[in-house]
């Protein structure tokens, strides 16, 4: 019902925009460097070949490797340790106002001549929060009781998630501000799309690798089955 309602709202509003919004013909269109899809891709390759852009792409493609396991696996491990999925979902609700306010606050610090300074300053704190998430997973079975988990455990989880959101948005807003600052206005859309795509890819591929490595790197012990390591899925099933 939720998806159906917002899907309908999305279709209605975008249709109204398509039919009711008119372009302002009085404005002189800006000069465009590209006229078609072929020109656009030629331009993209010429941008990528620039030494500064190539270095920056390598930076943002590898900058999030240190956070990948904490970001992708923490929630799954907490569920594995017995934290109900619906409780974790509810913990995301207090994060919504924070996610709305944070970009407004952080943008004041990224509006200057060096927006990436905020990115660099937030990185060590986000790495430390990865250790905090590890502690949360280790602590979960220690405080678990028959009725579930105590309130103070959830309070610590919410606080940890809130601090994580602050570091995450500090890095995200800083990268967006830098991309907007260095993009050539004549080809701003193409330039921004390229840098933002690389930035998104830099966050997604480490998470995928981290999820793929969870099982091979997890140490398991088989209770009452000597000679079995439970290292493989088949052995665990047996």
């Amino acid at each position: 019902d939720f998806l159906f309602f917002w899907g309908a709202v999305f279709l209605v509003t975008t249709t109204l925009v398509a039919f009711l919004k008119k372009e302002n013909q009085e404005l002189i269109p800006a000069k465009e460097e590209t006229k078609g899809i072929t020109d656009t891709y030629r331009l993209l390759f010429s941008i990528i070949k620039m030494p500064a852009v190539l270095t920056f792409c390598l930076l943002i493609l590898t900058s999030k490797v240190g956070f990948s396991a904490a970001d992708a696996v923490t929630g799954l491990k907490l569920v594995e340790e017995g934290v109900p999925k619906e409780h974790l979902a509810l913990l995301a609700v207090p994060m919504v106002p924070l996610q709305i306010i944070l970009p407004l606050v952080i943008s004041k610090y990224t509006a200057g001549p060096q927006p990436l300074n905020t990115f660099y300053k937030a990185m060590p704190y986000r790495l430390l929060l990865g250790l905090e998430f590890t502690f949360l997973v280790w602590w979960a079975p220690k405080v678990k009781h028959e009725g579930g988990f105590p309130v103070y455990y959830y309070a610590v989880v919410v606080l940890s998630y809130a601090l994580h959101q602050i570091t995450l948005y500090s890095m995200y807003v800083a990268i967006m501000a830098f991309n907007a600052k260095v993009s050539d206005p004549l080809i701003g859309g193409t330039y921004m799309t390229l840098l933002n795509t690389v930035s998104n890819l830099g966050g997604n591929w480490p998470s995928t690798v981290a999820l793929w490595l969870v099982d091979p790197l997890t140490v398991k012990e088989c209770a009452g089955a000597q000679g079995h390591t439970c290292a493989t899925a088949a052995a665990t099933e047996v």
Side-chain angles (χ1 to χ4, degrees):
D1 289 345
F2 177 84
L3 292 174
F4 178 82
F5 173 78
W6 287 110
V9 170
F10 181 83
L11 287 172
V12 170
T13 51
T14 47
T15 304
L16 289 173
V17 169
F19 285 105
L20 301 180
K21 180 73 177 104
K22 303 298 181 184
E23 295 293 340
N24 190 346
Q25 300 297 334
E26 296 177 2
L27 294 176
I28 300 173
K31 180 185 174 184
E32 288 289 343
E33 288 285 330
T34 57
K35 295 181 180 178
I37 189 168
T38 307
D39 291 337
T40 302
Y41 278 104
R42 282 178 184 162
L43 187 60
L44 279 174
F45 283 119
S46 66
I47 293 170
I48 292 172
K49 286 189 290 185
M50 294 167 62
V53 174
L54 193 60
T55 303
F56 179 64
C57 286
L58 288 173
L59 166 73
I60 56 180
L61 275 173
T62 56
S63 62
K64 297 176 183 175
V65 171
F67 326 123
S68 56
D71 290 359
V73 184
T74 300
L76 299 173
K77 284 294 176 183
L78 287 175
V79 171
E80 192 177 281
E81 295 296 344
V83 179
K85 280 185 273 190
E86 56 270 23
H87 289 183
L88 281 180
L90 282 174
L91 294 180
V93 175
M95 298 299 112
V96 175
L98 190 64
Q99 290 166 351
I100 295 171
I101 295 168
L102 279 174
L104 298 174
V105 176
I106 297 165
S107 61
K108 296 178 181 178
Y109 301 96
T110 57
Q114 296 178 314
L116 277 185
N117 282 350
T118 305
F119 181 93
Y120 297 138
K121 289 176 183 176
M123 183 174 282
Y125 296 103
R126 192 170 172 186
L127 286 168
L128 287 172
L129 282 168
L131 295 176
E132 164 70 6
F133 284 172
T134 306
F135 168 75
L136 289 177
V137 174
W138 172 84
W139 193 29
K142 311 287 184 185
V143 296
K144 185 179 180 182
H145 52 75
E146 291 184 3
F149 291 84
V151 175
Y152 64 82
Y153 180 78
Y154 287 116
V156 173
V157 172
V158 169
L159 179 62
S160 301
Y161 272 46
L163 293 172
H164 177 260
Q165 289 295 312
I166 293 172
T167 58
L168 187 151
Y169 272 84
S170 295
M171 295 179 69
Y172 175 77
V173 174
I175 282 287
M176 292 298 109
F178 181 81
N179 290 350
K181 193 173 185 64
V182 301
S183 296
D184 188 340
L186 290 177
I187 49 171
T190 305
Y191 218 125
M192 278 287 288
T193 300
L194 170 66
L195 295 179
N196 290 346
T197 300
V198 175
S199 179
N200 291 333
L201 185 61
N204 289 333
W205 80 261
S207 296
T208 303
V209 173
L211 287 168
W212 181 73
L213 288 172
V214 168
D215 275 348
L217 295 178
T218 299
V219 178
K220 300 176 183 177
E221 296 178 1
C222 294
Q226 293 182 353
H228 290 280
T229 61
C230 291
T232 64
T236 304
E237 187 66 26
V238 171

